[in-house]
């Protein structure tokens, strides 16, 4: 399965912060924002990832991750010349995605929860078209919204409706089968001039091939696209890390736990940042893994 991180857009809601670079490279507490969506794909077992971003910023992401080999992954890059909607990712990345199932995550979305890895693996395992997720929110009109029937089946999908039919919002994380690029190729821009992800989801729904998995209260979903939400996300990461003693979105540790790299390789990555608490944490986790290489609890079903 291919992973796609959509890290494009102009980040206008975060200006002037984004006047000098991608919002997905802005810090969320102790690491770049993009670490969090990338870690979600890694927890799903995906080690082949395409990052889509603006042309001027490809080299910044490449400086951060290179070809991905240091994490035991393959990471490639593609340029989105201008923001044209989420579904444009399947056009921009068509030559790398066509013929493969894929998972798409938005570069400004953060997910955390003990059951999240098993939920992700279930989505990949039971994929029969597309899988989207739902979580109850207080202001559903700000999001894509799913309407669910009495038997729990998905009835409809609306994009930012004025009068939502439910309070079940659809986060920026989706799994698709290998027909998604063909569906995206046939889309027409919406009234706001974008290729809407909801139109892709509706195409699967019309064919009876769209499934929704609810994210329970033990899974946190944060959108970091505004100054307030970015600050809230940083506080959330800080509080969880201080309370639990583990670091959210630590791609080096996850790569080691997933078996992408060895404990020695993980230790070396931490040693390169040994002056920072983050680097020291990576080194400590690598040392602990050498002594007890049992799977982390976040990988258990």
């Amino acid at each position: 399965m291919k992973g796609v991180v959509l890290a494009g857009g102009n980040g206008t809601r975060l200006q002037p912060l984004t006047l000098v670079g991608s919002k997905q490279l802005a810090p969320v507490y102790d690491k770049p924002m993009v670490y969090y969506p990338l870690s979600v794909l890694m927890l799903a077992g995906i080690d082949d990832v395409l990052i889509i971003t603006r042309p001027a910023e490809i080299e910044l992401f490449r400086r951060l991750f290179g070809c991905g080999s240091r994490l035991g992954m393959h990471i490639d890059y593609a340029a989105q010349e201008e923001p044209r909607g989420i579904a444009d990712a399947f056009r921009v990345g068509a030559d790398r995605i066509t013929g493969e199932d894929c998972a798409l995550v938005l570069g400004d979305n953060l997910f955390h929860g003990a059951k999240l890895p098993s939920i992700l693996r279930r989505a990949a395992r039971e994929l029969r078209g597309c899988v989207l997720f739902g979580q109850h929110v207080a202001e559903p009109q700000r999001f894509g919204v799913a309407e669910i029937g009495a038997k729990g089946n998905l009835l409809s999908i609306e994009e930012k409706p004025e009068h939502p039919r439910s309070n079940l919002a659809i986060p920026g994380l989706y799994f698709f089968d290998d027909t998604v690029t063909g569906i995206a190729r046939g889309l027409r821009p919406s009234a706001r001039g974008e290729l809407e992800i909801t139109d892709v989801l509706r195409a699967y729904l019309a064919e009876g091939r769209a499934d929704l998995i609810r994210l329970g209260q033990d899974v946190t979903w944060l959108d970091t696209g505004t100054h307030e939400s970015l600050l809230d996300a940083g506080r959330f990461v800080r509080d969880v890390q201080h309370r639990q003693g583990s670091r959210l979105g630590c791609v080096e540790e996850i790569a080691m736990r997933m078996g992408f790299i060895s404990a020695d390789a993980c230790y070396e990555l931490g040693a390169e940042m040994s002056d920072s608490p983050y680097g020291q944490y990576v080194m400590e986790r690598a040392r602990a893994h050498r002594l007890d290489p049992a799977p982390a609890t976040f990988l258990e079903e």
Side-chain angles (χ1 to χ4, degrees):
M1 177 174 283
K2 188 88 172 184
V4 180
V5 179
L6 183 55
N10 294 322
T12 53
R13 291 183 299 167
L14 285 175
Q15 290 178 349
L17 177 65
T18 51
L19 292 177
V20 293
S22 168
K23 70 177 178 181
Q24 289 84 9
L25 295 175
V28 177
Y29 189 53
D30 60 349
K31 60 191 77 68
M33 184 188 298
V34 70
Y35 273 43
Y36 300 95
L38 178 62
S39 69
V40 169
L41 298 178
M42 296 169 70
L43 288 172
I46 297 172
D47 61 4
D48 187 1
V49 172
L50 174 66
I51 297 177
I52 298 175
T53 189
R54 295 188 295 185
E57 287 153 358
I58 284 182
E59 288 307 312
L60 296 177
F61 284 92
R62 198 186 303 276
R63 187 186 306 173
L64 190 60
F65 297 121
C67 66
S69 60
R70 287 156 57 84
L71 294 172
M73 303 175 67
H74 175 75
I75 298 179
D76 201 1
Y77 307 88
Q80 185 183 43
E81 298 293 337
E82 60 184 61
R84 290 184 293 262
I86 296 172
D88 187 51
F90 302 116
R91 293 188 176 185
V92 173
D95 59 333
R96 280 92 161 215
I97 301 170
T98 299
E100 292 189 61
D101 296 344
C102 71
L104 170 68
V105 62
L106 302 189
D108 60 358
N109 276 219
L110 184 155
F111 298 86
H112 173 68
K115 294 183 179 180
L116 182 62
S118 62
I119 292 172
L120 297 173
R121 291 197 300 277
R122 173 189 165 193
R125 184 173 61 245
E126 298 180 0
L127 184 65
R128 62 182 187 90
C130 82
V131 173
L132 56 152
F133 300 87
Q135 189 168 68
H136 288 279
V137 297
E139 300 178 12
Q141 61 271 18
R142 296 174 49 220
F143 307 97
V145 175
E147 180 187 9
I148 304 299
K151 296 182 179 180
N153 54 310
L154 182 61
L155 296 179
S156 70
I157 301 165
E158 297 179 281
E159 179 64 26
K160 298 180 180 178
E162 184 177 350
H163 303 289
R165 298 179 182 179
S166 80
N167 63 349
L168 197 62
I170 301 172
L173 175 63
Y174 321 87
F175 286 72
F176 297 99
D177 70 2
D178 59 4
T179 66
V180 68
T181 52
I183 292 173
R185 197 177 302 120
L187 294 180
R188 294 182 178 180
S190 66
R192 59 178 186 164
E194 295 192 357
L195 299 176
E196 304 288 357
I197 191 66
T198 49
D199 288 337
V200 175
L201 300 175
R202 287 191 189 114
Y204 280 100
L205 181 59
E207 297 174 358
R209 299 193 299 128
D211 297 308
L212 182 139
I213 297 176
R214 294 175 186 252
L215 299 177
Q217 293 183 349
D218 58 335
V219 174
T220 297
W221 162 48
L222 298 173
D223 180 329
T224 58
T226 68
H227 293 107
E228 286 300 315
S229 61
L230 182 62
L231 180 60
D232 289 342
R235 287 170 171 166
F236 173 80
V237 171
R238 178 200 62 189
D239 293 346
V240 171
Q241 291 184 172
H242 286 188
R243 183 172 65 249
Q244 298 183 353
S246 59
R247 293 192 179 242
L248 280 62
C250 181
V251 294
E252 296 85 1
E253 179 186 10
I254 293 172
M256 177 183 67
R257 296 292 192 182
M258 295 300 298
F260 297 171
I261 61 174
S262 67
D264 288 345
C266 182
Y267 184 89
E268 290 302 319
L269 293 175
E272 294 176 6
M273 302 178 282
S274 61
D275 286 342
S276 72
Y278 182 89
Q280 294 160 16
Y281 170 85
V282 172
M283 294 166 66
E284 185 277 326
R285 287 294 170 146
R287 284 192 294 263
H289 192 71
R290 287 171 180 160
L291 298 175
D292 182 13
T297 55
F298 61 55
L299 298 181
E300 295 176 356
E301 290 288 356

